[in-house]
mmCIF file of all heavy atoms in Angstrom:
data_model
loop_
_atom_site.group_PDB
_atom_site.id
_atom_site.type_symbol
_atom_site.label_atom_id
_atom_site.label_comp_id
_atom_site.label_asym_id
_atom_site.label_seq_id
_atom_site.Cartn_x
_atom_site.Cartn_y
_atom_site.Cartn_z
ATOM 1 N N SER P 106 128.588 33.632 25.690
ATOM 2 C CA SER P 106 127.828 32.572 25.021
ATOM 3 C C SER P 106 128.732 31.877 24.012
ATOM 4 O O SER P 106 129.920 32.207 23.892
ATOM 5 C CB SER P 106 126.624 33.172 24.299
ATOM 6 O OG SER P 106 127.062 34.029 23.243
ATOM 7 N N ALA P 107 128.162 30.961 23.239
ATOM 8 C CA ALA P 107 128.937 30.305 22.182
ATOM 9 C C ALA P 107 129.424 31.315 21.148
ATOM 10 O O ALA P 107 130.497 31.150 20.557
ATOM 11 C CB ALA P 107 128.091 29.229 21.508
ATOM 12 N N ASP P 108 128.649 32.362 20.917
ATOM 13 C CA ASP P 108 129.070 33.392 19.973
ATOM 14 C C ASP P 108 130.066 34.374 20.587
ATOM 15 O O ASP P 108 130.751 35.092 19.859
ATOM 16 C CB ASP P 108 127.853 34.156 19.460
ATOM 17 C CG ASP P 108 126.976 33.303 18.565
ATOM 18 O OD1 ASP P 108 127.536 32.533 17.765
ATOM 19 O OD2 ASP P 108 125.739 33.381 18.686
ATOM 20 N N LYS P 109 130.109 34.423 21.909
ATOM 21 C CA LYS P 109 131.078 35.253 22.634
ATOM 22 C C LYS P 109 131.689 34.411 23.751
ATOM 23 O O LYS P 109 131.448 34.640 24.925
ATOM 24 C CB LYS P 109 130.394 36.494 23.212
ATOM 25 C CG LYS P 109 129.893 37.483 22.184
ATOM 26 C CD LYS P 109 129.157 38.630 22.861
ATOM 27 C CE LYS P 109 130.043 39.368 23.869
ATOM 28 N NZ LYS P 109 129.320 40.470 24.548
ATOM 29 N N PRO P 110 132.492 33.401 23.389
ATOM 30 C CA PRO P 110 133.022 32.472 24.390
ATOM 31 C C PRO P 110 134.218 33.057 25.130
ATOM 32 O O PRO P 110 134.584 34.227 24.958
ATOM 33 C CB PRO P 110 133.432 31.269 23.538
ATOM 34 C CG PRO P 110 133.855 31.889 22.241
ATOM 35 C CD PRO P 110 132.935 33.064 22.036
ATOM 36 N N ILE P 111 134.823 32.221 25.943
ATOM 37 C CA ILE P 111 136.032 32.578 26.689
ATOM 38 C C ILE P 111 137.230 31.976 25.968
ATOM 39 O O ILE P 111 137.193 30.811 25.551
ATOM 40 C CB ILE P 111 135.959 32.038 28.129
ATOM 41 C CG1 ILE P 111 134.791 32.681 28.876
ATOM 42 C CG2 ILE P 111 137.270 32.271 28.876
ATOM 43 C CD1 ILE P 111 134.418 31.967 30.158
ATOM 44 N N ALA P 112 138.285 32.744 25.818
ATOM 45 C CA ALA P 112 139.553 32.224 25.290
ATOM 46 C C ALA P 112 140.593 32.289 26.398
ATOM 47 O O ALA P 112 140.731 33.322 27.067
ATOM 48 C CB ALA P 112 140.007 33.026 24.082
ATOM 49 N N ILE P 113 141.306 31.204 26.597
ATOM 50 C CA ILE P 113 142.370 31.126 27.599
ATOM 51 C C ILE P 113 143.670 30.937 26.845
ATOM 52 O O ILE P 113 143.860 29.930 26.162
ATOM 53 C CB ILE P 113 142.130 29.965 28.578
ATOM 54 C CG1 ILE P 113 140.797 30.163 29.312
ATOM 55 C CG2 ILE P 113 143.283 29.846 29.568
ATOM 56 C CD1 ILE P 113 140.424 29.007 30.234
ATOM 57 N N ILE P 114 144.572 31.914 26.937
ATOM 58 C CA ILE P 114 145.784 31.864 26.111
ATOM 59 C C ILE P 114 147.033 31.510 26.906
ATOM 60 O O ILE P 114 148.115 31.408 26.326
ATOM 61 C CB ILE P 114 145.989 33.184 25.339
ATOM 62 C CG1 ILE P 114 146.220 34.359 26.286
ATOM 63 C CG2 ILE P 114 144.820 33.454 24.418
ATOM 64 C CD1 ILE P 114 146.599 35.652 25.569
ATOM 65 N N SER P 115 146.916 31.319 28.220
ATOM 66 C CA SER P 115 148.066 30.886 29.019
ATOM 67 C C SER P 115 147.923 29.409 29.351
ATOM 68 O O SER P 115 146.898 28.783 29.063
ATOM 69 C CB SER P 115 148.182 31.728 30.294
ATOM 70 O OG SER P 115 146.974 31.714 31.032
ATOM 71 N N GLY P 116 148.946 28.848 29.981
ATOM 72 C CA GLY P 116 149.015 27.404 30.165
ATOM 73 C C GLY P 116 148.315 26.897 31.400
ATOM 74 O O GLY P 116 147.465 27.562 32.006
ATOM 75 N N ASN P 117 148.688 25.671 31.796
ATOM 76 C CA ASN P 117 148.020 24.984 32.898
ATOM 77 C C ASN P 117 148.308 25.670 34.229
ATOM 78 O O ASN P 117 149.473 25.870 34.603
ATOM 79 C CB ASN P 117 148.527 23.537 33.001
ATOM 80 C CG ASN P 117 148.305 22.737 31.740
ATOM 81 O OD1 ASN P 117 147.877 23.262 30.716
ATOM 82 N ND2 ASN P 117 148.607 21.455 31.802
ATOM 83 N N ASP P 118 147.279 26.033 34.944
ATOM 84 C CA ASP P 118 147.410 26.447 36.345
ATOM 85 C C ASP P 118 146.031 26.380 36.988
ATOM 86 O O ASP P 118 145.024 26.096 36.332
ATOM 87 C CB ASP P 118 148.054 27.826 36.502
ATOM 88 C CG ASP P 118 147.276 28.976 35.879
ATOM 89 O OD1 ASP P 118 146.072 28.807 35.589
ATOM 90 O OD2 ASP P 118 147.867 30.050 35.689
ATOM 91 N N ILE P 119 145.982 26.600 38.289
ATOM 92 C CA ILE P 119 144.731 26.450 39.022
ATOM 93 C C ILE P 119 143.692 27.456 38.542
ATOM 94 O O ILE P 119 142.503 27.123 38.400
ATOM 95 C CB ILE P 119 144.982 26.562 40.540
ATOM 96 C CG1 ILE P 119 145.653 25.271 41.048
ATOM 97 C CG2 ILE P 119 143.690 26.825 41.297
ATOM 98 C CD1 ILE P 119 145.997 25.264 42.524
ATOM 99 N N GLU P 120 144.104 28.686 38.259
ATOM 100 C CA GLU P 120 143.151 29.684 37.793
ATOM 101 C C GLU P 120 142.557 29.285 36.435
ATOM 102 O O GLU P 120 141.355 29.469 36.208
ATOM 103 C CB GLU P 120 143.823 31.059 37.703
ATOM 104 C CG GLU P 120 144.080 31.713 39.047
ATOM 105 C CD GLU P 120 145.190 31.051 39.843
ATOM 106 O OE1 GLU P 120 146.090 30.442 39.211
ATOM 107 O OE2 GLU P 120 145.167 31.140 41.086
ATOM 108 N N HIS P 121 143.387 28.766 35.558
ATOM 109 C CA HIS P 121 142.907 28.240 34.271
ATOM 110 C C HIS P 121 141.842 27.176 34.521
ATOM 111 O O HIS P 121 140.757 27.203 33.900
ATOM 112 C CB HIS P 121 144.104 27.659 33.516
ATOM 113 C CG HIS P 121 143.774 27.067 32.185
ATOM 114 N ND1 HIS P 121 144.672 27.065 31.131
ATOM 115 C CD2 HIS P 121 142.688 26.409 31.700
ATOM 116 C CE1 HIS P 121 144.137 26.467 30.090
ATOM 117 N NE2 HIS P 121 142.932 26.044 30.418
ATOM 118 N N ALA P 122 142.117 26.245 35.428
ATOM 119 C CA ALA P 122 141.170 25.165 35.709
ATOM 120 C C ALA P 122 139.865 25.703 36.280
ATOM 121 O O ALA P 122 138.767 25.274 35.886
ATOM 122 C CB ALA P 122 141.796 24.165 36.677
#
Side-chain angles (χ1 to χ4, degrees):
S106 65
D108 291 320
K109 293 176 58 181
I111 297 165
I113 300 176
I114 64 173
S115 54
N117 301 6
D118 62 17
I119 286 178
E120 286 72 27
H121 179 149

